[in-house]
Amino acid sequence: SLSAACEKKTATQLVVEVVKEDYLVLSLPLHGNAVAFAMTKSYNDRSKPFMRFKVGQRLSGTPVRVGPNRRTLVLLQQTASDVAGGAASDAKEGAKRAAVKPIDPSINFFEDYVPGLATLAKVTSIKGVQANLDLASNIKGRLHITELLDDASSIVAKSPGDVFAAAGVHVGDKIQVKVIGLHDAKVYKFLPITHRTSPLKNVIDVTVRPSLLASEWAAVDKSDSRLASWKSTKPGDVFKGFVKGVQEGKRKGKTVVLVSLNTSLVGHLPILAATSSFEIASHPARFFVPGMPIEVQVSLIDPKSRDVILTPHGSFIAGVERPIASRKLLVPGARIICSVFKTMTTAMFTEIELVEEADSSANSKAPRITHVHGSVDAYHAADELSAKPFGKYTAGELLEAVVVWVGANSKDEHIKVGLSLRPSVLNPVKFPPSGAADPV
């Protein structure tokens, strides 16, 4: 249709996207928002283009040539009425971009997709924790996994697709959705309603939560978790999110579980603060599969890295052994998981994380991750003495150990414990003690 318009010299609607000194970058709403260019000066008018043209201004013009290599670039010749002065009234009126072949026949323009609008969309693909939608041929939408159900805690998901299937969302389906906002297509930043929008640069966010589809408007108050960011989130806040994946070496070289808290906020759950099961901690990707519903609570916000550090909360995940929740339980004989921090010839130092409940005396609602310093001497490294008992261990490696002593003068921030890695201590039934006496 664009080539035909060039041949017939048919006037069409234009929208100003960028104003330069010598030319304009425009979009053609009636031709799939194709990109076009127009000169800003002529022999008859040498006035400054920044005074005559504004971003978002609606003009009319005639396409004269289509660019090569199938690029949607055209050269446009403005009509005399646009140059003469019709620009000011059009700028105030605002520009509307046509929706090409909308899924919902009642939609005419991109601007019709306002928050609270119930409309139709077609599911084109499901990738990771989001479904990609077509609202029209030139307008894209996104349905995030957190916008599927009011309560997903009962779902047993082995992949994100299981959660979408439970909500009745499948590739190729036309589904009823409700608009909740839009985000930048490049950086996935949620944009305020006052932000200038474009179907070329923005994607419309929608929801299919039953409670919101049933309501007249998709009202979002200030306390809604959908608006949460690393700046607005506070320690103690509770989220019902979904596992996005597992990343090794993300936080100070330690493994973390990535949790989608909303469409743009991802939290970090340290694996040592997530479970006391050595099997799960050693192979987290086998258990914490993407799409798994998970309930977490914010422990702290790292202002430098902007990381939201999480801890288990509520039902968390059924069947998961939680880590030790109090220093009172850190006694000789307790089994723990630790991470190797440093190895020496005669000793090895490890790190342990306790997830302690909020301290009511300190008026805090946030759980605290307490770091414990563990040490293993040569005698407790193995049942058989060796010249290099710690040679096989590497920094960051996870180990299962048994507490043999707890420092009597340990302060809150410097708890010290002694650990044993001897098989006879870890599993005395399978590995009976050798009878070798402690040389110390």
Side-chain angles (χ1 to χ4, degrees), residues 354-377:
L354 304 181
V355 180
E356 299 191 281
E357 298 295 334
D359 187 357
S360 57
S361 61
N363 295 324
S364 174
K365 297 181 180 180
R368 180 174 59 176
I369 298 179
T370 303
H371 299 276
V372 180
H373 304 280
S375 62
V376 183
D377 56 35

Side-chain angles (χ1 to χ4, degrees), residues 278 333-338 376 399-403 419-421 426:
F278 181 70
R335 299 174 72 92
I336 54 91
I337 302 174
C338 59
V376 183
L399 302 173
E400 189 174 22
V402 173
V403 177
L419 305 174
S420 177
L421 304 177
L426 288 170

Side-chain angles (χ1 to χ4, degrees), residues 263-318:
T263 56
S264 57
L265 181 62
V266 177
H268 298 159
L269 174 63
I271 193 62
L272 291 182
T275 180
S276 61
S277 170
F278 181 70
E279 181 180 358
I280 294 176
S282 301
H283 306 91
R286 297 180 185 177
F287 187 83
F288 292 98
V289 296
M292 176 181 290
I294 184 172
E295 186 174 357
V296 291
Q297 188 172 18
V298 178
S299 175
L300 60 93
I301 311 294
D302 190 333
K304 292 184 179 180
S305 63
R306 299 182 179 182
D307 288 344
V308 179
I309 310 304
L310 307 172
T311 59
H313 183 268
S315 58
F316 187 46
I317 298 179

Side-chain angles (χ1 to χ4, degrees), residues 9 13 28 35 69-70 89 98 100 110 127 148 151 153 189 200 237 248 269 284 288 308 314 327 359 384-385 438:
K9 305 300 185 208
Q13 188 183 67
L28 285 71
V35 177
N69 301 325
R70 296 183 178 181
S89 61
V100 180
F110 172 74
K127 295 182 179 179
L148 292 174
D151 185 8
S153 58
K189 180 182 179 181
L200 297 174
D237 289 350
E248 297 183 2
L269 174 63
F288 292 98
V308 179
R327 66 192 66 201
D359 187 357
E384 297 181 1
L385 298 181
D438 186 342

Side-chain angles (χ1 to χ4, degrees), residues 352-429:
I352 307 163
E353 293 183 348
L354 304 181
V355 180
E356 299 191 281
E357 298 295 334
D359 187 357
S360 57
S361 61
N363 295 324
S364 174
K365 297 181 180 180
R368 180 174 59 176
I369 298 179
T370 303
H371 299 276
V372 180
H373 304 280
S375 62
V376 183
D377 56 35
Y379 174 74
H380 287 100
D383 285 329
E384 297 181 1
L385 298 181
S386 171
K388 297 181 179 180
F390 305 109
K392 63 180 181 179
Y393 300 109
T394 57
E397 182 179 355
L398 294 182
L399 302 173
E400 189 174 22
V402 173
V403 177
V404 292
W405 57 263
V406 179
N409 297 323
S410 296
K411 297 181 180 179
D412 289 350
E413 64 274 16
H414 296 294
I415 300 177
K416 297 180 180 180
V417 297
L419 305 174
S420 177
L421 304 177
R422 299 180 65 171
S424 60
V425 177
L426 288 170
N427 194 344
V429 176

